[in-house]
Amino acid sequence: MTVSRRRRLVGTAATAFLAVAAVLAVAQPASAHNSIVSTTPAEGSTITEQPEQLVITTNDNLLDLGEAGQSNQIQVTGPGDELLYYGTACAAVNGPALVMPLQLGQAGEYTVVWQLVSTDGHPLSGSYTFEWAPAEGQELAAGSAKPACATSGASTVEPSSEAGGVEPESSSGGLSGDVWWIVGAIGVVLIAGIGVLLVTRRKPEPISDDQGTDTPSGP
């Protein structure tokens, strides 16, 4: 292999590597979904004063689809044999947080079930519990047989995972954006591989003038 061909091979391989790295670097942010940073009240905590609101905070802005109670929801149920809900209004998106007004009732364990939409469009959901031990003088709510957003057409949220959330399958048709990024990266790798093969194919050495036919010498 001549020096010029070796240089062409190195240059082609470097170009292919940079192209694949660029695709993967762009695809990485696209595949990142929101994650839960904190909850108020906190999971497993015991509170003694009315929280006034429940907050699910994530690491990035949430996607607000403009349909209250449909995609971004929080539902809080309390202790007792009767299933009662204690949210006083629909949950609202506030940047990276999902917020719902909350007044608790009788003492005991409360269950929070939440559902939200990441900034990339992927839904997340989960659940957790906390204890309510009201201090003296706290005003207790009666609770409701239906979620606060039931009149908006929202259905009861079912937790798909333990606290912290796991992404359920997207309900939209076709391939997700993440899949297309992966397909694109594979395509770049294949094209780069074909290019390297074409460059490295062994070509016949050209016939030099010294290897030509002998000419008869003069007298």
Side-chain angles (χ1 to χ4, degrees):
M1 180 181 293
T2 65
V3 174
S4 61
R5 289 185 60 195
R6 186 179 298 108
R7 289 177 177 175
R8 287 199 302 270
L9 173 59
V10 173
T12 302
T15 301
F17 174 80
L18 291 175
V20 174
V23 171
L24 295 179
V26 176
Q28 181 65 25
S31 63
H33 313 320
N34 288 42
S35 60
I36 304 302
V37 173
S38 65
T39 61
T40 305
E43 177 182 5
S45 65
T46 298
I47 60 174
T48 59
E49 297 184 357
Q50 287 288 2
E52 305 299 335
Q53 62 182 11
L54 191 143
V55 184
I56 307 291
T57 304
T58 72
N59 64 329
D60 200 354
N61 288 337
L62 299 176
L63 183 62
D64 188 354
L65 301 179
E67 298 179 356
Q70 291 291 335
S71 300
N72 298 290
Q73 301 183 54
I74 300 175
Q75 292 175 3
V76 180
T77 55
D81 296 332
E82 184 180 4
L83 181 63
L84 296 176
Y85 296 87
Y86 289 89
T88 58
C90 293
V93 172
N94 184 11
L98 186 61
V99 184
M100 184 187 73
L102 178 64
Q103 289 289 322
L104 302 176
Q106 62 177 301
E109 183 181 74
Y110 282 73
T111 300
V112 179
V113 181
W114 54 266
Q115 173 181 292
L116 51 81
V117 182
S118 293
T119 188
D120 63 355
H122 282 75
L124 304 175
S125 63
S127 65
Y128 72 92
T129 62
F130 65 90
E131 288 288 333
W132 167 232
E136 185 178 355
Q138 295 294 306
E139 183 177 352
L140 304 182
S144 175
K146 293 183 179 181
C149 275
T151 56
S152 301
S155 58
T156 301
V157 179
E158 294 293 339
S160 62
S161 67
E162 297 179 356
V166 174
E167 303 131 32
E169 293 294 329
S170 174
S171 59
S172 57
L175 295 177
S176 67
D178 298 342
V179 175
W180 284 118
W181 278 113
I182 295 173
V183 172
I186 294 175
V188 171
V189 173
L190 291 176
I191 293 174
I194 293 173
V196 172
L197 288 176
L198 292 176
V199 171
T200 56
R201 286 181 61 185
R202 190 172 186 83
K203 297 180 180 179
E205 296 292 337
I207 300 175
S208 63
D209 293 340
D210 296 338
Q211 296 175 337
T213 57
D214 293 336
T215 55
S217 57

